[in-house]
Amino acid sequence: MLKISPRFLIQQCLRHAHNQVRVRFAPSPTGHLHLGGLRTALYNFLYARHLGGKFLLRIEDTDQTRLVPGASERLVEDLLWAGIEIDEGPGFGGQLGPYVQSQRTETYSKAIEELLRNGTAYRCFCTERRLDLLRKEALRTRQVPRYDNKCRHLTPAEVDSLLAKETPHCIRFKLTDHEEPLEDLIYGQVHHNVSDTEGDPVVIKSDQFPTYHFANVVDDHLMGITHVLRGVEWQISTTKHLLLYKAFGWQPPKFGHLPLLVNADGTKLSKRQGDIGIQHFRERGYFPQALVNYVVSAGGGFEHRANAKQQLLSMRELYEQFHIERVNSHPSRLNPELLDDLNRLEIVQRLSGNESRTKLVKEVQQLVKQAYPQQSNLDLAEDHILDVLHWSSKRLVLLQDLSSSKLSFLWVKPSDFQIKDLTAEQLNHILQLINAIQDFHKDELNVKLKSFAQEEKIKFPQMMKTLRAALSGLKEGPGVAEMMEILGKAVTLERLKAALPKESVHLEQHQ
């Protein structure tokens, strides 16, 4: 039987891979996913899906000193929550793994041997003390700190002697002039000769782990990545990466750099801002598609329609309409008010579908139970919740808002309350009055109730105080007419009748 080598299989996979678009999102598990990271993952996903390609997740954990336990798992959870489907990655299969860099050290060892053999990399034995002195001297003379490439000029005999003594060392890559401009998919031609401003960079650290630049290039090549979309902060490093591709004799992917995401006032988003983490938005109750549309609204990539009504697009609609040529090259401003509008739109959208509507009702039921764990007398009927959701969809931003103490009357039924300040006849007239109102709006309710109080010669404030207590058991809260509107006619009548002795209720339903 013919034995097929793993190397042959990888080559075949690569040949197949390069026939289709393959992109990757390659975060470091040193913290949790934030808006900038989500934007990068999202645009890679939209680009791949638009062209029928694959989206890979790769965990870049070479900086072992900064790892946060559980960060990788949380990151995957956030991506899936946002609707980003992972085709290959840790836990998702794929023929070109492993997809975690700390599990690929043997691959990097073989790759660096190739550069040492062809003379484009060298061993550096400079101590940390010497490097620190170089930095201090550069700062003293007001220059940019850079390595002076001293070990590049060591003879083979000198290197062998230092290795024989087991002298600690790293491996550096020889930078050369790079005259060709980078053809950036978003910024166009970008010129940057990295050898003018930097010394030879470290590619393998003294702990034998690769640096970001080296592992990034090796992995992108071996995983068949055809397009690299990442933040513009990496644009200055791309020349370095292109030189590495040249040293290996590999065809580089195409690069596109996404502009900075900035706050509404133009200041840069910072990971230190606790309110840009995806977990923050999830915990507050924002819906995934609202957040995805929010991120997309700032970065471009879609046809601009003047005076178009705000829409909430599905993930499929987004990737079908996405064009990389339309991505902005200027900083992308986020408008938090837009996120609130989009979240309201998603509530309305979810109310329109049978399955999503049922899930929404269950979510509200769970929220209310958590907010009022000691209450056994909760009004969680599906029809009532739907009435409240329809009312709130144009007024509130988050589902959580419905469980606030100000709106407790929506869910907590008054218990053991009986109306004593009004006669049974007056109360029955109020019930019939309320039942007959077709336009169940607070303004109409106020007019009718005031007119009734005048006819019956009842003090209006006292009557409303009594009705408030019957409806909510509260002394304060929204106006009584507004409370009735929010509760809806059916629940309003039900609660008022519950506050009366049974023999006092003589309401005839008006069809």
Side-chain angles (χ1 to χ4, degrees):
M1 182 183 289
L2 179 65
K3 188 174 182 182
I4 300 175
S5 72
R7 184 179 180 82
F8 175 80
L9 285 174
I10 287 178
Q11 288 172 337
Q12 294 302 305
C13 283
L14 277 172
R15 288 194 185 99
H16 171 70
H18 280 292
N19 289 330
Q20 69 173 175
V21 167
R22 287 171 66 82
V23 302
R24 53 39 169 203
F25 178 52
S28 298
T30 55
H32 299 312
L33 188 66
H34 55 90
L35 284 178
L38 176 64
R39 193 270 301 266
T40 300
L42 178 61
Y43 274 53
N44 273 282
F45 177 73
L46 295 177
Y47 186 69
R49 284 293 185 269
H50 181 75
L51 296 172
K54 298 290 185 184
F55 174 84
L56 284 68
L57 174 68
R58 185 172 72 227
I59 302 299
E60 300 198 338
D61 61 344
T62 56
D63 190 346
Q64 295 284 295
T65 61
R66 297 176 59 227
L67 300 185
V68 174
S72 294
E73 293 78 7
R74 173 61 62 81
L75 189 141
V76 169
E77 187 185 318
D78 285 341
L79 289 176
L80 296 177
W81 171 83
I84 295 173
E85 299 163 354
I86 300 167
D87 298 309
E88 298 176 31
F92 294 89
Q95 296 175 293
L96 301 177
Y99 296 90
V100 178
Q101 285 187 337
S102 59
Q103 299 171 14
R104 297 174 61 82
T105 51
E106 187 178 343
T107 299
Y108 306 132
S109 295
K110 290 177 180 176
I112 198 62
E113 286 301 324
E114 173 66 25
L115 297 190
L116 288 169
R117 269 196 304 273
N118 68 25
T120 57
Y122 61 92
R123 302 180 193 278
C124 173
F125 299 90
C126 290
T127 63
E128 191 58 45
R129 183 172 180 276
R130 181 177 185 274
L131 296 175
D132 189 47
L133 287 172
L134 283 177
R135 279 192 290 269
K136 287 178 178 176
E137 179 61 19
L139 293 172
R140 188 186 69 80
T141 56
R142 297 183 179 180
Q143 295 180 342
V144 177
R146 57 188 287 184
Y147 179 57
D148 61 359
N149 301 346
K150 176 176 183 273
C151 290
R152 185 197 272 215
H153 309 293
L154 292 175
T155 65
E158 288 173 318
V159 171
D160 289 342
S161 173
L162 289 164
L163 288 174
K165 297 175 186 175
E166 296 185 351
T167 307
H169 68 280
C170 63
I171 298 176
R172 292 181 182 269
F173 175 65
K174 292 180 181 178
L175 290 180
T176 57
D177 288 342
H178 184 80
E179 300 299 337
E180 296 177 15
L182 163 67
E183 293 291 342
D184 196 297
L185 292 170
I186 295 167
Y187 285 83
Q189 286 195 352
V190 177
H191 296 263
H192 179 67
N193 195 335
V194 69
S195 64
D196 288 343
T197 55
E198 295 184 34
D200 293 338
V202 174
V203 285
I204 299 290
K205 296 176 284 187
S206 58
D207 62 3
Q208 302 307 303
F209 268 88
T211 59
Y212 163 81
H213 304 290
F214 184 73
N216 187 278
V217 167
V218 171
D219 289 344
D220 281 349
H221 175 72
L222 293 181
M223 292 179 184
I225 299 303
T226 60
H227 296 76
V228 173
L229 302 180
R230 58 190 177 191
V232 72
E233 64 270 22
W234 294 109
Q235 192 180 66
I236 199 169
S237 299
T238 304
T239 301
K240 202 179 302 181
H241 299 168
L242 290 172
L243 289 171
L244 279 165
Y245 279 104
K246 186 178 179 181
F248 278 115
W250 295 340
Q251 178 69 31
K254 294 180 180 178
F255 291 90
H257 292 89
L258 303 168
L260 287 174
L261 271 183
V262 297
N263 295 307
D265 62 1
T267 57
K268 186 179 176 182
L269 285 181
S270 169
K271 292 182 185 180
R272 295 180 181 85
Q273 290 174 246
D275 58 355
I276 69 165
I278 304 309
Q279 199 59 31
H280 163 81
F281 293 103
R282 292 182 64 177
E283 288 170 356
R284 286 202 62 200
Y286 285 101
F287 291 114
Q289 208 53 31
L291 191 63
V292 163
N293 276 258
Y294 174 54
V295 170
V296 161
S297 70
F302 302 86
E303 183 180 349
H304 178 69
R305 297 183 181 90
N307 302 318
K309 185 180 178 182
Q310 183 64 55
Q311 286 183 298
L312 183 77
L313 299 178
S314 68
M315 192 66 87
R316 185 183 186 90
E317 289 170 325
L318 286 172
Y319 69 66
E320 285 178 349
Q321 297 178 26
F322 179 75
H323 291 280
I324 192 71
E325 302 84 12
R326 291 183 175 140
V327 174
N328 300 331
S329 60
H330 53 77
S332 306
R333 290 182 184 242
L334 290 166
N335 175 10
E337 290 179 5
L338 177 61
L339 176 58
D340 291 347
D341 292 341
L342 289 165
N343 212 60
R344 289 190 196 96
L345 278 177
E346 185 154 358
I347 292 175
V348 172
Q349 193 174 88
R350 289 184 176 220
L351 282 170
S352 65
N354 290 333
E355 188 178 339
S356 56
R357 183 168 59 238
T358 300
K359 286 182 179 177
L360 209 56
V361 168
K362 288 181 178 176
E363 198 171 335
V364 171
Q365 288 172 335
Q366 190 63 31
L367 280 170
V368 174
K369 287 176 183 177
Q370 289 174 351
Y372 305 101
Q374 306 302 321
Q375 291 287 346
S376 58
N377 197 28
L378 294 173
D379 191 349
L380 296 176
E382 183 174 341
D383 287 346
H384 173 52
I385 291 174
L386 287 173
D387 284 342
V388 171
L389 284 169
H390 283 295
W391 166 82
S392 67
S393 62
K394 294 179 181 178
R395 296 168 176 83
L396 304 180
V397 173
L398 307 167
L399 284 190
Q400 272 87 330
D401 295 340
L402 292 172
S403 61
S404 72
S405 58
K406 291 180 181 178
L407 295 177
S408 63
F409 67 89
L410 287 172
W411 318 112
V412 182
K413 296 179 183 179
S415 55
D416 301 325
F417 176 81
Q418 287 198 351
I419 295 176
K420 297 175 182 177
D421 297 328
L422 300 171
T423 66
E425 186 178 355
Q426 287 171 333
L427 288 167
N428 273 296
H429 282 163
I430 291 174
L431 288 171
Q432 289 169 10
L433 175 84
I434 290 171
N435 190 54
I437 295 174
Q438 296 301 313
D439 182 14
F440 208 72
H441 186 270
K442 63 179 181 180
D443 294 337
E444 180 70 9
L445 285 162
N446 254 325
V447 169
K448 295 287 186 183
L449 289 170
K450 276 185 179 177
S451 177
F452 175 79
Q454 288 171 354
E455 289 173 9
E456 294 291 322
K457 295 183 172 51
I458 304 170
K459 290 182 179 179
F460 183 68
Q462 184 61 41
M463 182 182 83
M464 297 304 262
K465 181 180 177 183
T466 300
L467 293 177
R468 179 195 298 282
L471 290 170
S472 67
L474 301 174
K475 294 181 179 180
E476 295 179 350
V480 174
E482 184 179 4
M483 192 179 284
M484 288 180 174
E485 181 188 335
I486 298 169
L487 289 170
K489 184 189 289 187
V491 174
T492 296
L493 292 172
E494 178 189 325
R495 292 194 183 182
L496 290 178
K497 284 190 283 184
L500 290 171
K502 289 183 180 178
E503 62 272 13
S504 300
V505 181
H506 306 296
L507 175 65
E508 293 181 5
Q509 290 290 334
H510 288 236
Q511 298 300 323

